[in-house]
Amino acid sequence: MNVLELQRKLIAAARAKQPSDHVPYAFEQRIMARLTGRPAHDPWGFWGRALARAAVMCVAVMLVMTGVALYQPATNQETLSQDVEQTLFAAVDNPAADQVGDTP
Amino acid sequence: MLLPYLPQHMELTDAELIAAVLKGDAASFEPLIRKYSPRVFATARRYARRESEVEDIAQEVWLKSFQKLGSFRGDAPFEHWLMRLTVRTCYDFLRGHKRNRETAFSELTDPEDDWLDRFVAQPSDASENADAAKQLIERVLEQLSPPARLVITLLEIEDRSVKEIAELTGWSVPLVKVRAFRARAEMKKCLAKLAKDKYL
């Protein structure tokens, strides 16, 4: 098959076929309804929506964290606070530890 | 004596209508839609087959043109600006609706088959005005990649110059030339596949 000749024929066929310029009934009225029914452009709208979504996410994260903190076993909380306390007051409670190795 | 009824926008030019729209009179946009919709629809029908898709493209064009009307500088006719928007929207449609390109040649209709048989037997006997040839080129165009289809349509079917295509698509002139070269090669490959599928 002569592909180049086929291409030429098919292109000629496409040229001969002019697409219809028919416009559906009341098309312009539908477009106008869409345009006039649109909310006015609000430059702060984007930021407002974004911040509202972020606030919702923050509240959700806060609730999850609160739930985790409330249902955590009590022993862990004590251990953590005790660990912090011991670390802070280690030098005060056990002054001899500072003198280890200070031999004359 | 009563004056005959004249619609409000009957004698306004495109520039006056656009100025009115930009000042907030959205109703002045309707005469523009009525005037240029036939061209928008004819262009959209080159790229989309289903009427629902054609209407979606036309709707998209008009909504975009309303939103972007402020960017229309007025140094060229509104129609040119609108056609650029239309062609770019059609291109976006092609990119967004990549059809299944592998199966298109497997279902040739009887008239398409007959036309190809006539072409193979005697190329001059296969008329390019036949409906089968028109359906066949539709099928071939559907198999091309979006840029190839756009370039073949504008360059070969609508007979536009490379410079015009560059203006319509927003591509540079060298890019249009490169894409035209690739599009022709892609079309040849596609036709060779058609011949192979049918006769081998």
Side-chain angles (χ1 to χ4, degrees):
Chain A
M1 188 191 288
N2 184 345
V3 171
L4 279 178
E5 179 61 12
L6 178 62
Q7 183 172 347
R8 193 194 65 73
K9 284 248 175 200
L10 291 178
I11 293 288
R15 279 183 181 173
K17 184 191 174 191
Q18 288 298 320
S20 159
D21 63 358
H22 167 73
V23 178
Y25 176 71
F27 173 75
E28 63 272 11
Q29 287 162 20
R30 264 177 281 153
I31 297 294
M32 288 309 295
R34 285 282 305 266
L35 291 175
T36 50
R38 282 186 163 208
H41 180 62
D42 178 13
W44 293 102
F46 170 76
W47 291 107
R49 281 191 297 276
L51 288 171
R53 280 182 199 154
V56 170
M57 288 300 292
C58 288
V59 169
V61 169
M62 190 189 77
L63 289 173
V64 169
M65 295 303 287
T66 307
V68 169
L70 286 175
Y71 290 105
Q72 219 174 13
T75 52
N76 285 356
Q77 285 174 9
E78 284 178 15
T79 306
L80 179 65
S81 59
Q82 282 170 359
D83 286 349
V84 171
E85 201 172 298
Q86 277 176 8
T87 309
L88 283 172
F89 295 112
V92 180
D93 288 347
N94 192 9
D98 289 343
Q99 292 166 5
V100 173
D102 288 350
T103 50
Chain B
M1 185 180 149
L2 287 172
L3 288 171
Y5 170 74
L6 286 175
Q8 190 191 346
H9 302 296
M10 190 81 171
E11 291 172 3
L12 295 180
T13 62
D14 289 355
E16 288 167 335
L17 290 168
I18 291 162
V21 175
L22 291 175
K23 279 180 189 165
D25 175 19
S28 294
F29 199 58
E30 193 172 344
L32 294 170
I33 302 176
R34 208 176 302 125
K35 185 175 176 185
Y36 294 113
S37 277
R39 277 213 69 187
V40 171
F41 270 86
T43 304
R45 285 193 179 102
R46 288 216 184 266
Y47 303 96
R49 198 185 264 195
R50 289 187 211 139
E51 269 307 296
S52 60
E53 291 173 338
V54 170
E55 203 170 326
D56 284 349
I57 292 173
Q59 184 171 297
E60 183 75 21
V61 168
W62 284 114
L63 295 180
K64 270 192 207 168
S65 68
F66 185 79
Q67 285 167 352
K68 296 182 176 179
L69 202 59
S71 70
F72 173 64
R73 292 197 301 265
D75 46 7
F78 173 71
E79 193 176 3
H80 293 185
W81 181 81
L82 184 68
M83 291 323 292
R84 276 203 296 274
L85 198 63
T86 305
V87 166
R88 289 171 198 187
T89 306
C90 289
Y91 183 55
D92 290 342
F93 166 80
L94 290 176
R95 287 197 301 177
H97 292 75
K98 287 175 190 168
R99 293 198 172 82
N100 188 353
R101 296 190 193 144
E102 295 303 314
T103 57
F105 283 152
S106 60
E107 297 157 355
L108 290 184
T109 61
D110 289 343
E112 289 167 352
D113 260 333
D114 293 345
W115 189 90
L116 272 178
D117 288 339
R118 248 178 291 132
F119 175 82
V120 171
Q122 184 62 44
S124 58
D125 285 353
S127 166
E128 51 255 33
N129 286 322
D131 285 341
K134 292 169 188 171
Q135 286 163 7
L136 205 52
I137 184 66
E138 278 285 321
R139 223 177 254 278
V140 171
L141 289 173
E142 275 184 8
Q143 300 235 332
L144 299 179
S145 64
R149 179 167 183 177
L150 189 72
V151 169
I152 291 286
T153 303
L154 295 171
L155 193 69
E156 305 284 356
I157 300 172
E158 293 186 6
D159 209 17
R160 291 180 188 270
S161 68
V162 169
K163 198 180 162 196
E164 275 180 295
I165 296 170
E167 282 171 9
L168 278 169
T169 55
W171 301 337
S172 65
V173 168
L175 182 62
V176 173
K177 288 179 181 172
V178 167
R179 286 191 163 165
F181 177 78
R182 285 183 191 156
R184 288 187 185 115
E186 201 177 312
M187 193 166 176
K188 264 182 221 160
K189 197 175 160 188
C190 190
L191 291 172
K193 184 177 178 295
L194 167 69
K196 190 182 159 195
D197 284 358
K198 183 162 165 53
Y199 296 105
L200 293 179

